[in-house]
RNA sequence: CGGGGCGUGGCGCAGCCUGGUAGCGCGCCUGUUUUGGGUACAGGAGGUCGUGGGUUCGAGUCCCGCCGCCCCGACCA
């Protein structure tokens, strides 16, 4: 993308409504614009980030054996009346009446719909286990939306649902998802800590929420710092082996981790002081095992190996995709702006042409841009260097390839790493190689 | 839902108390200048003052209603 042609409206001044770092930076870097309370338009750069997060989620879900589908945002009230949640859900559910006076709603979640879909087509125990997910917009009419996309009313969520023949199978599905989540968050450069959670209105008796530390978090969290060091991506746990999932689950739950409402001071005291981590946390994922709650309520039965009908066991698994954009920025920024992790940066590198119109600078920049293609943001604007430096820092590209007249004449460019600030004089080829190595 | 606040050009704000020709900074456009961390100068464009009603000779300013948005708290992926 050529910045001179891109719709990337950065702003110099801090918008008055934004109180937290991620919200401020998302507005200033031109990622989003608010259109109503808690509702945001995603501008090209913001959408790129959202897509990259989605893609990581998708790859890890697929690797864990889940299948992607896509359910609608608008649902009929009928299904919700069947599960009993149409009345239970309360004012948070956005209710809509269509032209035929039918009660509809904008889905806050999809348990009922997926259960209905499975009910229509799954008739035998042979059709399970089944794990289905989609990445779709949700709407929850929060009383008080705030913190930008972290507490929006409309948000993008990955929600998945597992169906198994028995509790044992459901627990296995739960553990697989847990590992998939650890890998997903690690790939985004996040240290997400699973904590035992209340099951809330979704119901069930086994639940973990995945929490990342952020000063604006909604709850106080406590956990064993040794947990952070575990490399889930490099681990050898195999989804296909039940004993691996068992071992994984034991490893994971052997560390202390709790939110304030579940905090156990006695157990906390057993954690060595140097390993105790404490702070505010925001929830970026939540998984539930809820047994036959919905399959019973909605009368889903399949035939077992003994020829008798039974209710499948369910679990549900959510990741707040749009919230993660804010969460990642909260976890990775400085005074100058965003510091994108390589895996989700909208552009791998920015090419800064410090002297547009200088034949050598222009030529070197064009060559770099041609080589990196769509993964580069070429700042070809007729602006002063300071403006470009500041915008590049603000937008947080992992790399800045700085092309000035002096260096360019000598066949060199300056490569700057946004995260640590290190700079080095290298040839354009070397700069390309180093940028590619981290993407 | 309880409490508080704000709607004036794209952004940030002043003007309102005490009614009388709508202003400042930034941004934007043109030109000159500058060229490695938001340059300087000159000229220019851009506003139904959220909205409806009322008071008044006259309303951004006073009064009433409505709408929108933000902040604190309780609640939430």
């Amino acid at each position: 993308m050529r910045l001179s042609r891109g719709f990337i409206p950065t702003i110099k001044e801090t918008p008055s409504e934004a109180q937290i770092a991620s919200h401020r930076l998302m507005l200033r870097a031109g990622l989003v614009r608010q259109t109503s309370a808690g509702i945001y338009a995603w501008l090209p750069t913001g959408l790129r980030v959202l897509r990259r997060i989605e893609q990581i989620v998708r790859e890890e879900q697929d690797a864990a054996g889940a299948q992607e589908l896509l359910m609608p945002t608008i649902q009929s009230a009928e299904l919700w009346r069947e599960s009993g949640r149409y009345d239970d859900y309360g004012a948070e559910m956005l209710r809509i009446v269509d032209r035929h006076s039918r009660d509809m709603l904008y889905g806050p979640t999809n348990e009922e719909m997926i259960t209905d879909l499975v009910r229509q087509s799954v008739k035998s125990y042979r059709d399970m286990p089944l794990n289905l997910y989609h990445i779709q917009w949700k709407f929850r009419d929060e009383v008080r939306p705030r913190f930008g996309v972290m507490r929006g009313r409309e948000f993008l969520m990955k929600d998945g649902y597992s169906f198994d023949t028995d509790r044992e199978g459901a627990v296995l599905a739960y553990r697989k998802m847990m590992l998939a989540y650890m890998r997903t968050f690690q790939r985004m450069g996040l240290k997400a800590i699973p904590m035992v959670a209340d099951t809330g209105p979704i119901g069930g008796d086994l639940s973990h929420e995945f929490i990342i530390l952020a000063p604006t978090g909604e709850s106080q969290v406590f956990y064993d710092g040794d947990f952070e060091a575990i490399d889930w991506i490099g681990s050898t746990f195999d989804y296909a082996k039940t004993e691996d999932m068992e071992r994984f689950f034991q490893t994971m739950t052997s560390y202390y981790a709790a939110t304030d409402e579940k905090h156990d001071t006695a157990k906390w005291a057993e954690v060595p002081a140097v390993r105790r981590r404490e702070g505010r946390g925001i929830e970026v994922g939540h998984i539930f095992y809820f047994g036959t709650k919905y399959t019973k309520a909605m009368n889903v039965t399949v035939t077992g190996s003994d020829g008798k009908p039974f209710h499948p066991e369910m679990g549900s698994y959510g990741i707040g995709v749009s919230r993660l954009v804010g969460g990642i920025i909260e976890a990775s920024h400085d005074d100058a702006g965003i510091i994108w992790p390589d895996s989700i940066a909208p552009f791998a590198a920015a090419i800064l042409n410090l002297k547009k119109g200088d034949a050598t600078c222009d030529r070197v920049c064009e060559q770099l841009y041609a080589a990196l293609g769509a993964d580069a943001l070429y700042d070809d604007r007729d602006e002063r260097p300071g403006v470009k430096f500041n915008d590049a820092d603000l937008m947080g590209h992992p790399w800045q390839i700085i092309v000035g007249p002096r260096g360019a004449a000598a066949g060199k460019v300056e490569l700057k790493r946004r995260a640590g600030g290190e700079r080095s004089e290298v040839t354009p080829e070397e700069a390309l190689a180093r940028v590619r190595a981290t993407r």
Side-chain angles (χ1 to χ4, degrees), chain A residues 34 37 143-144 146 151-152 283 384 386-387 389-390 393 414 423:
Chain A
Q34 183 178 124
V143 205
R144 192 187 156 209
R146 65 182 120 175
R151 274 291 291 284
E283 183 180 342
R384 292 184 50 87
V387 175
F389 289 136
N390 282 314
D393 286 350
E414 184 177 325
R423 302 151 179 270

Short mmCIF file of all heavy atoms in Angstrom, two decimals, chain A residues 34 37 143-144 146 151-152 283 384 386-387 389-390 393 414 423, chain B residues 1 25 34 36-39 69-72 74-77:
data_model
loop_
_atom_site.label_atom_id
_atom_site.label_comp_id
_atom_site.label_asym_id
_atom_site.label_seq_id
_atom_site.Cartn_x
_atom_site.Cartn_y
_atom_site.Cartn_z
N GLN A 34 -15.45 5.32 15.48
CA GLN A 34 -16.70 4.97 16.14
C GLN A 34 -17.88 5.51 15.33
O GLN A 34 -17.82 6.62 14.82
CB GLN A 34 -16.73 5.58 17.54
CG GLN A 34 -17.98 5.19 18.29
CD GLN A 34 -18.03 5.73 19.72
OE1 GLN A 34 -18.97 6.40 20.09
NE2 GLN A 34 -17.02 5.42 20.50
N ALA A 37 -22.41 4.46 19.95
CA ALA A 37 -21.84 3.99 21.21
C ALA A 37 -21.51 2.50 21.10
O ALA A 37 -22.39 1.69 20.84
CB ALA A 37 -22.82 4.23 22.35
N VAL A 143 -24.91 -2.15 28.81
CA VAL A 143 -25.44 -0.94 29.42
C VAL A 143 -24.47 0.21 29.16
O VAL A 143 -24.86 1.32 28.81
CB VAL A 143 -25.54 -1.07 30.95
CG1 VAL A 143 -26.57 -0.14 31.48
CG2 VAL A 143 -25.74 -2.48 31.37
N ARG A 144 -23.20 -0.11 29.34
CA ARG A 144 -22.22 0.97 29.20
C ARG A 144 -20.99 0.52 28.43
O ARG A 144 -20.02 0.05 29.01
CB ARG A 144 -21.81 1.45 30.59
CG ARG A 144 -21.04 2.72 30.48
CD ARG A 144 -20.46 3.17 31.77
NE ARG A 144 -19.34 4.01 31.43
CZ ARG A 144 -18.28 4.17 32.18
NH1 ARG A 144 -18.19 3.55 33.31
NH2 ARG A 144 -17.32 4.95 31.79
N ARG A 146 -17.50 0.77 26.61
CA ARG A 146 -16.36 1.67 26.87
C ARG A 146 -15.08 0.99 26.43
O ARG A 146 -15.09 -0.14 25.97
CB ARG A 146 -16.31 2.03 28.35
CG ARG A 146 -16.02 0.85 29.26
CD ARG A 146 -16.03 1.26 30.70
NE ARG A 146 -17.05 0.51 31.43
CZ ARG A 146 -17.25 0.59 32.74
NH1 ARG A 146 -16.54 1.40 33.45
NH2 ARG A 146 -18.17 -0.13 33.32
N ARG A 151 -14.77 -3.19 24.86
CA ARG A 151 -16.10 -3.37 25.43
C ARG A 151 -17.14 -2.80 24.51
O ARG A 151 -17.95 -1.98 24.90
CB ARG A 151 -16.18 -2.65 26.80
CG ARG A 151 -15.71 -3.49 27.95
CD ARG A 151 -16.66 -4.65 28.24
NE ARG A 151 -17.94 -4.22 28.77
CZ ARG A 151 -18.11 -3.82 30.02
NH1 ARG A 151 -17.13 -3.79 30.85
NH2 ARG A 151 -19.29 -3.44 30.43
N GLY A 152 -17.09 -3.22 23.27
CA GLY A 152 -18.05 -2.71 22.31
C GLY A 152 -19.37 -3.46 22.44
O GLY A 152 -19.46 -4.48 23.11
N GLU A 283 -10.33 -10.48 29.85
CA GLU A 283 -10.68 -11.79 29.32
C GLU A 283 -10.66 -11.74 27.79
O GLU A 283 -11.32 -10.90 27.19
CB GLU A 283 -12.07 -12.14 29.84
CG GLU A 283 -12.55 -13.50 29.43
CD GLU A 283 -13.94 -13.77 29.99
OE1 GLU A 283 -14.35 -13.08 30.94
OE2 GLU A 283 -14.61 -14.67 29.46
N ARG A 384 7.56 15.90 5.49
CA ARG A 384 8.85 16.00 6.13
C ARG A 384 9.21 14.68 6.81
O ARG A 384 8.33 13.93 7.22
CB ARG A 384 8.85 17.11 7.16
CG ARG A 384 8.72 18.49 6.53
CD ARG A 384 8.82 19.57 7.57
NE ARG A 384 9.97 19.40 8.44
CZ ARG A 384 11.18 19.88 8.18
NH1 ARG A 384 11.41 20.51 7.05
NH2 ARG A 384 12.16 19.70 9.04
N GLY A 386 10.24 14.04 9.76
CA GLY A 386 9.69 13.92 11.11
C GLY A 386 8.27 13.39 11.12
O GLY A 386 7.89 12.59 11.97
N VAL A 387 7.48 13.85 10.17
CA VAL A 387 6.10 13.40 10.07
C VAL A 387 6.06 11.89 9.80
O VAL A 387 5.29 11.15 10.41
CB VAL A 387 5.37 14.15 8.93
CG1 VAL A 387 3.98 13.59 8.73
CG2 VAL A 387 5.33 15.64 9.23
N PHE A 389 8.46 9.63 10.40
CA PHE A 389 8.96 8.88 11.57
C PHE A 389 7.86 8.73 12.60
O PHE A 389 7.61 7.65 13.13
CB PHE A 389 10.14 9.61 12.21
CG PHE A 389 11.41 9.57 11.39
CD1 PHE A 389 12.18 10.71 11.24
CD2 PHE A 389 11.83 8.39 10.80
CE1 PHE A 389 13.35 10.69 10.49
CE2 PHE A 389 13.01 8.36 10.05
CZ PHE A 389 13.77 9.51 9.89
N ASN A 390 7.21 9.84 12.88
CA ASN A 390 6.18 9.81 13.91
C ASN A 390 5.00 8.92 13.52
O ASN A 390 4.48 8.18 14.35
CB ASN A 390 5.71 11.22 14.22
CG ASN A 390 6.69 11.95 15.12
OD1 ASN A 390 7.16 11.42 16.10
ND2 ASN A 390 7.04 13.15 14.74
N ASP A 393 6.05 5.22 13.76
CA ASP A 393 6.07 4.77 15.16
C ASP A 393 4.65 4.60 15.68
O ASP A 393 4.33 3.63 16.36
CB ASP A 393 6.82 5.79 16.04
CG ASP A 393 8.33 5.74 15.83
OD1 ASP A 393 8.81 4.79 15.17
OD2 ASP A 393 9.03 6.64 16.33
N GLU A 414 18.53 2.42 6.22
CA GLU A 414 18.57 2.20 7.66
C GLU A 414 17.39 1.32 8.03
O GLU A 414 16.25 1.57 7.62
CB GLU A 414 18.49 3.53 8.39
CG GLU A 414 18.63 3.38 9.90
CD GLU A 414 18.60 4.74 10.60
OE1 GLU A 414 19.13 5.71 10.02
OE2 GLU A 414 18.05 4.80 11.70
N ARG A 423 18.71 0.25 15.40
CA ARG A 423 18.85 0.67 14.01
C ARG A 423 20.15 0.13 13.48
O ARG A 423 21.14 0.01 14.20
CB ARG A 423 18.93 2.19 13.89
CG ARG A 423 17.77 2.95 14.45
CD ARG A 423 18.22 4.30 14.94
NE ARG A 423 17.09 5.07 15.46
CZ ARG A 423 16.35 5.89 14.72
NH1 ARG A 423 16.60 6.06 13.46
NH2 ARG A 423 15.34 6.55 15.26
P C B 1 -33.10 2.15 31.94
OP1 C B 1 -34.13 1.13 31.85
OP2 C B 1 -33.48 3.57 31.98
"O5'" C B 1 -32.19 1.86 33.23
"C5'" C B 1 -32.77 1.24 34.38
"C4'" C B 1 -31.84 1.34 35.55
"O4'" C B 1 -30.62 0.58 35.31
"C3'" C B 1 -31.29 2.72 35.89
"O3'" C B 1 -32.23 3.54 36.54
"C2'" C B 1 -30.13 2.36 36.81
"O2'" C B 1 -30.59 2.01 38.08
"C1'" C B 1 -29.57 1.11 36.10
N1 C B 1 -28.40 1.47 35.25
C2 C B 1 -27.15 1.49 35.86
O2 C B 1 -27.06 1.21 37.05
N3 C B 1 -26.06 1.82 35.12
C4 C B 1 -26.22 2.12 33.83
N4 C B 1 -25.13 2.44 33.15
C5 C B 1 -27.49 2.11 33.19
C6 C B 1 -28.56 1.78 33.93
P G B 25 -4.83 31.12 15.21
OP1 G B 25 -3.62 31.94 14.99
OP2 G B 25 -5.77 30.87 14.09
"O5'" G B 25 -4.40 29.71 15.80
"C5'" G B 25 -3.45 29.64 16.87
"C4'" G B 25 -3.32 28.22 17.32
"O4'" G B 25 -4.57 27.78 17.91
"C3'" G B 25 -3.07 27.20 16.21
"O3'" G B 25 -1.71 27.14 15.83
"C2'" G B 25 -3.54 25.91 16.88
"O2'" G B 25 -2.59 25.44 17.81
"C1'" G B 25 -4.78 26.41 17.64
N9 G B 25 -5.99 26.27 16.82
C8 G B 25 -6.63 27.24 16.09
N7 G B 25 -7.69 26.80 15.46
C5 G B 25 -7.73 25.45 15.77
C6 G B 25 -8.67 24.45 15.39
O6 G B 25 -9.65 24.55 14.66
N1 G B 25 -8.34 23.21 15.94
C2 G B 25 -7.27 22.98 16.77
N2 G B 25 -7.12 21.74 17.20
N3 G B 25 -6.40 23.91 17.15
C4 G B 25 -6.70 25.11 16.62
P U B 34 15.05 26.68 1.04
OP1 U B 34 16.42 27.16 1.20
OP2 U B 34 14.63 25.99 -0.19
"O5'" U B 34 14.71 25.72 2.27
"C5'" U B 34 14.99 26.14 3.60
"C4'" U B 34 14.46 25.12 4.56
"O4'" U B 34 13.02 25.02 4.43
"C3'" U B 34 14.93 23.69 4.32
"O3'" U B 34 16.20 23.46 4.90
"C2'" U B 34 13.83 22.87 4.99
"O2'" U B 34 14.00 22.81 6.39
"C1'" U B 34 12.59 23.70 4.67
N1 U B 34 11.86 23.21 3.49
C2 U B 34 10.96 22.17 3.69
O2 U B 34 10.77 21.65 4.76
N3 U B 34 10.31 21.75 2.56
C4 U B 34 10.45 22.26 1.27
O4 U B 34 9.79 21.78 0.38
C5 U B 34 11.40 23.33 1.16
C6 U B 34 12.06 23.75 2.26
P G B 36 17.48 16.53 6.76
OP1 G B 36 17.43 17.56 7.83
OP2 G B 36 18.78 16.01 6.32
"O5'" G B 36 16.55 15.28 7.17
"C5'" G B 36 15.43 15.47 8.01
"C4'" G B 36 15.54 14.54 9.19
"O4'" G B 36 15.74 13.20 8.68
"C3'" G B 36 16.74 14.83 10.09
"O3'" G B 36 16.43 14.46 11.43
"C2'" G B 36 17.80 13.88 9.58
"O2'" G B 36 18.73 13.51 10.56
"C1'" G B 36 16.95 12.68 9.17
N9 G B 36 17.55 11.86 8.13
C8 G B 36 17.95 12.23 6.87
N7 G B 36 18.42 11.24 6.18
C5 G B 36 18.35 10.16 7.04
C6 G B 36 18.74 8.82 6.86
O6 G B 36 19.23 8.29 5.86
N1 G B 36 18.49 8.05 7.98
C2 G B 36 17.95 8.52 9.13
N2 G B 36 17.78 7.65 10.11
N3 G B 36 17.58 9.77 9.33
C4 G B 36 17.81 10.52 8.25
P G B 37 15.56 15.37 12.38
OP1 G B 37 15.51 16.77 11.90
OP2 G B 37 15.99 15.06 13.76
"O5'" G B 37 14.13 14.68 12.16
"C5'" G B 37 12.95 15.46 11.93
"C4'" G B 37 11.96 15.17 13.02
"O4'" G B 37 11.81 13.73 13.13
"C3'" G B 37 12.36 15.68 14.40
"O3'" G B 37 11.18 16.07 15.09
"C2'" G B 37 12.93 14.44 15.08
"O2'" G B 37 12.76 14.47 16.48
"C1'" G B 37 12.08 13.34 14.46
N9 G B 37 12.72 12.03 14.40
C8 G B 37 13.99 11.72 13.98
N7 G B 37 14.24 10.44 14.01
C5 G B 37 13.06 9.87 14.47
C6 G B 37 12.71 8.52 14.70
O6 G B 37 13.40 7.51 14.54
N1 G B 37 11.43 8.39 15.17
C2 G B 37 10.56 9.42 15.37
N2 G B 37 9.36 9.11 15.82
N3 G B 37 10.86 10.70 15.15
C4 G B 37 12.12 10.84 14.71
P G B 38 10.63 17.59 14.74
OP1 G B 38 11.69 18.49 14.27
OP2 G B 38 9.85 17.91 15.93
"O5'" G B 38 9.68 17.35 13.51
"C5'" G B 38 8.53 16.58 13.71
"C4'" G B 38 7.43 17.07 12.82
"O4'" G B 38 6.35 16.14 12.89
"C3'" G B 38 6.86 18.43 13.22
"O3'" G B 38 6.30 18.92 12.02
"C2'" G B 38 5.75 17.99 14.21
"O2'" G B 38 4.68 18.91 14.28
"C1'" G B 38 5.23 16.73 13.55
N9 G B 38 4.65 15.64 14.32
C8 G B 38 4.77 15.28 15.62
N7 G B 38 4.07 14.19 15.91
C5 G B 38 3.47 13.83 14.70
C6 G B 38 2.61 12.76 14.36
O6 G B 38 2.20 11.86 15.08
N1 G B 38 2.25 12.80 13.03
C2 G B 38 2.65 13.75 12.13
N2 G B 38 2.20 13.63 10.91
N3 G B 38 3.47 14.76 12.41
C4 G B 38 3.82 14.72 13.72
P U B 39 6.04 20.45 11.51
OP1 U B 39 5.40 21.34 12.49
OP2 U B 39 5.39 20.14 10.27
"O5'" U B 39 7.47 21.05 11.18
"C5'" U B 39 8.30 21.64 12.17
"C4'" U B 39 9.06 22.81 11.60
"O4'" U B 39 9.59 22.46 10.30
"C3'" U B 39 8.25 24.07 11.32
"O3'" U B 39 8.02 24.83 12.50
"C2'" U B 39 9.18 24.81 10.36
"O2'" U B 39 10.26 25.40 11.03
"C1'" U B 39 9.71 23.65 9.52
N1 U B 39 8.97 23.47 8.25
C2 U B 39 9.24 24.38 7.24
O2 U B 39 10.02 25.31 7.39
N3 U B 39 8.56 24.18 6.09
C4 U B 39 7.66 23.18 5.82
O4 U B 39 7.13 23.12 4.72
C5 U B 39 7.43 22.28 6.92
C6 U B 39 8.08 22.45 8.07
P C B 69 -25.06 7.26 20.86
OP1 C B 69 -24.58 6.19 19.96
OP2 C B 69 -26.00 6.93 21.95
"O5'" C B 69 -23.81 8.00 21.50
"C5'" C B 69 -22.70 8.35 20.69
"C4'" C B 69 -21.78 9.27 21.43
"O4'" C B 69 -22.50 10.46 21.85
"C3'" C B 69 -21.21 8.75 22.75
"O3'" C B 69 -20.15 7.84 22.55
"C2'" C B 69 -20.75 10.06 23.39
"O2'" C B 69 -19.58 10.54 22.77
"C1'" C B 69 -21.91 10.99 23.03
N1 C B 69 -22.93 11.03 24.11
C2 C B 69 -22.67 11.84 25.22
O2 C B 69 -21.60 12.48 25.25
N3 C B 69 -23.56 11.91 26.22
C4 C B 69 -24.69 11.20 26.15
N4 C B 69 -25.55 11.30 27.16
C5 C B 69 -24.98 10.36 25.03
C6 C B 69 -24.07 10.30 24.03
P C B 70 -19.81 6.79 23.69
OP1 C B 70 -18.86 5.83 23.11
OP2 C B 70 -21.05 6.31 24.33
"O5'" C B 70 -19.05 7.70 24.76
"C5'" C B 70 -17.80 8.30 24.44
"C4'" C B 70 -17.38 9.21 25.56
"O4'" C B 70 -18.40 10.21 25.78
"C3'" C B 70 -17.23 8.56 26.92
"O3'" C B 70 -15.99 7.88 27.04
"C2'" C B 70 -17.33 9.76 27.84
"O2'" C B 70 -16.14 10.51 27.83
"C1'" C B 70 -18.43 10.56 27.16
N1 C B 70 -19.77 10.29 27.70
C2 C B 70 -20.12 10.87 28.93
O2 C B 70 -19.29 11.57 29.52
N3 C B 70 -21.35 10.63 29.45
C4 C B 70 -22.21 9.86 28.79
N4 C B 70 -23.42 9.66 29.33
C5 C B 70 -21.87 9.24 27.54
C6 C B 70 -20.65 9.48 27.04
P C B 71 -15.90 6.63 28.04
OP1 C B 71 -14.60 6.00 27.77
OP2 C B 71 -17.13 5.84 27.98
"O5'" C B 71 -15.85 7.36 29.45
"C5'" C B 71 -14.74 8.18 29.80
"C4'" C B 71 -14.99 8.82 31.14
"O4'" C B 71 -16.17 9.65 31.07
"C3'" C B 71 -15.31 7.86 32.28
"O3'" C B 71 -14.15 7.27 32.82
"C2'" C B 71 -16.01 8.78 33.26
"O2'" C B 71 -15.09 9.61 33.94
"C1'" C B 71 -16.84 9.64 32.32
N1 C B 71 -18.21 9.12 32.13
C2 C B 71 -19.15 9.36 33.14
O2 C B 71 -18.80 9.96 34.15
N3 C B 71 -20.42 8.90 32.98
C4 C B 71 -20.76 8.24 31.87
N4 C B 71 -22.02 7.83 31.75
C5 C B 71 -19.81 7.99 30.83
C6 C B 71 -18.56 8.44 31.00
P C B 72 -14.28 5.79 33.40
OP1 C B 72 -12.90 5.32 33.60
OP2 C B 72 -15.21 5.00 32.57
"O5'" C B 72 -14.97 6.03 34.81
"C5'" C B 72 -14.31 6.80 35.82
"C4'" C B 72 -15.17 6.85 37.06
"O4'" C B 72 -16.34 7.67 36.81
"C3'" C B 72 -15.76 5.52 37.51
"O3'" C B 72 -14.85 4.72 38.22
"C2'" C B 72 -16.93 5.99 38.36
"O2'" C B 72 -16.50 6.45 39.62
"C1'" C B 72 -17.44 7.17 37.55
N1 C B 72 -18.50 6.76 36.60
C2 C B 72 -19.81 6.61 37.08
O2 C B 72 -20.03 6.83 38.27
N3 C B 72 -20.78 6.23 36.22
C4 C B 72 -20.50 6.00 34.93
N4 C B 72 -21.49 5.64 34.14
C5 C B 72 -19.18 6.15 34.43
C6 C B 72 -18.21 6.52 35.28
P A B 74 -17.80 -1.20 40.82
OP1 A B 74 -17.17 -1.92 41.94
OP2 A B 74 -17.16 -1.21 39.48
"O5'" A B 74 -19.29 -1.71 40.66
"C5'" A B 74 -20.02 -2.24 41.78
"C4'" A B 74 -21.40 -2.66 41.33
"O4'" A B 74 -22.04 -1.53 40.70
"C3'" A B 74 -21.43 -3.76 40.27
"O3'" A B 74 -21.35 -5.06 40.82
"C2'" A B 74 -22.77 -3.50 39.59
"O2'" A B 74 -23.84 -3.98 40.37
"C1'" A B 74 -22.80 -1.97 39.58
N9 A B 74 -22.17 -1.45 38.37
C8 A B 74 -20.90 -0.92 38.24
N7 A B 74 -20.60 -0.54 37.02
C5 A B 74 -21.74 -0.85 36.30
C6 A B 74 -22.07 -0.69 34.94
N6 A B 74 -21.24 -0.16 34.04
N1 A B 74 -23.28 -1.09 34.55
C2 A B 74 -24.11 -1.63 35.45
N3 A B 74 -23.93 -1.83 36.75
C4 A B 74 -22.71 -1.41 37.11
P C B 75 -20.51 -6.19 40.04
OP1 C B 75 -20.66 -7.43 40.80
OP2 C B 75 -19.15 -5.68 39.72
"O5'" C B 75 -21.32 -6.34 38.68
"C5'" C B 75 -22.56 -7.02 38.64
"C4'" C B 75 -23.07 -7.09 37.22
"O4'" C B 75 -23.12 -5.74 36.67
"C3'" C B 75 -22.17 -7.83 36.23
"O3'" C B 75 -22.37 -9.23 36.28
"C2'" C B 75 -22.62 -7.24 34.90
"O2'" C B 75 -23.82 -7.80 34.46
"C1'" C B 75 -22.85 -5.77 35.29
N1 C B 75 -21.67 -4.93 35.01
C2 C B 75 -21.55 -4.36 33.73
O2 C B 75 -22.44 -4.58 32.90
N3 C B 75 -20.47 -3.60 33.45
C4 C B 75 -19.53 -3.38 34.37
N4 C B 75 -18.50 -2.63 34.05
C5 C B 75 -19.62 -3.96 35.68
C6 C B 75 -20.70 -4.72 35.95
P C B 76 -21.13 -10.21 35.81
OP1 C B 76 -21.59 -11.60 35.99
OP2 C B 76 -19.88 -9.75 36.44
"O5'" C B 76 -21.05 -9.90 34.26
"C5'" C B 76 -21.35 -10.90 33.28
"C4'" C B 76 -21.33 -10.28 31.92
"O4'" C B 76 -21.41 -8.84 32.04
"C3'" C B 76 -20.05 -10.51 31.10
"O3'" C B 76 -20.10 -11.72 30.37
"C2'" C B 76 -20.04 -9.30 30.18
"O2'" C B 76 -20.90 -9.46 29.09
"C1'" C B 76 -20.59 -8.20 31.10
N1 C B 76 -19.53 -7.45 31.80
C2 C B 76 -18.75 -6.53 31.09
O2 C B 76 -18.95 -6.40 29.88
N3 C B 76 -17.80 -5.84 31.73
C4 C B 76 -17.60 -6.02 33.05
N4 C B 76 -16.64 -5.31 33.64
C5 C B 76 -18.37 -6.95 33.80
C6 C B 76 -19.32 -7.63 33.14
P A B 77 -18.76 -12.68 30.26
OP1 A B 77 -19.21 -14.01 30.69
OP2 A B 77 -17.58 -12.05 30.88
"O5'" A B 77 -18.52 -12.70 28.68
"C5'" A B 77 -18.35 -13.95 28.02
"C4'" A B 77 -17.27 -13.80 26.98
"O4'" A B 77 -17.82 -13.11 25.83
"C3'" A B 77 -16.11 -12.91 27.41
"O3'" A B 77 -15.17 -13.61 28.19
"C2'" A B 77 -15.57 -12.42 26.09
"O2'" A B 77 -14.75 -13.37 25.52
"C1'" A B 77 -16.84 -12.28 25.27
N9 A B 77 -17.32 -10.90 25.28
C8 A B 77 -18.29 -10.33 26.06
N7 A B 77 -18.47 -9.05 25.83
C5 A B 77 -17.55 -8.77 24.83
C6 A B 77 -17.24 -7.58 24.14
N6 A B 77 -17.84 -6.42 24.37
N1 A B 77 -16.27 -7.63 23.20
C2 A B 77 -15.65 -8.79 22.99
N3 A B 77 -15.86 -9.97 23.57
C4 A B 77 -16.84 -9.88 24.49
#
